[in-house]
Amino acid sequence: GSCDIILSSRRYPQDVLRTKTPRTVQAATRKVDIRLEGRQVAVEVRSDGLGSFWRLGALRMNVGQAGKR
């Protein structure tokens, strides 16, 4: 089955939540590149397949400093 990965971020705690377009992941998908900017990040994994089985492996993120500070 497939699932969607949805990433959202905020620049500061009371900011509006900015959501990226969902990326669909299949069983054969090895890597998904998504660029995101913010201080707070939310990761959502969604699937609507009845009777399908999937599991989330290691979630790895490359995080770096951005901005002028």
Side-chain angles (χ1 to χ4, degrees):
S2 66
C3 65
D4 292 331
I5 297 177
I6 303 157
L7 292 177
S8 304
S9 68
R10 287 188 171 108
R11 292 185 182 156
Y12 49 90
Q14 303 303 320
D15 192 16
V16 136
L17 191 64
R18 292 174 174 83
T19 303
K20 294 293 251 185
T21 303
R23 304 292 171 102
T24 301
V25 177
Q26 305 289 336
T29 303
R30 297 188 50 84
K31 179 182 174 184
V32 177
D33 290 324
I34 303 172
R35 189 175 184 126
L36 190 68
E37 187 176 324
R39 289 183 178 182
Q40 297 178 341
V41 176
V43 179
E44 182 179 347
V45 181
R46 218 188 267 179
S47 176
D48 61 0
L50 274 174
S52 64
F53 173 79
W54 60 269
R55 62 180 160 196
L56 184 63
L59 183 62
R60 297 190 297 177
M61 295 183 184
N62 184 9
V63 180
Q65 184 176 355
K68 298 179 181 179
R69 293 182 184 183

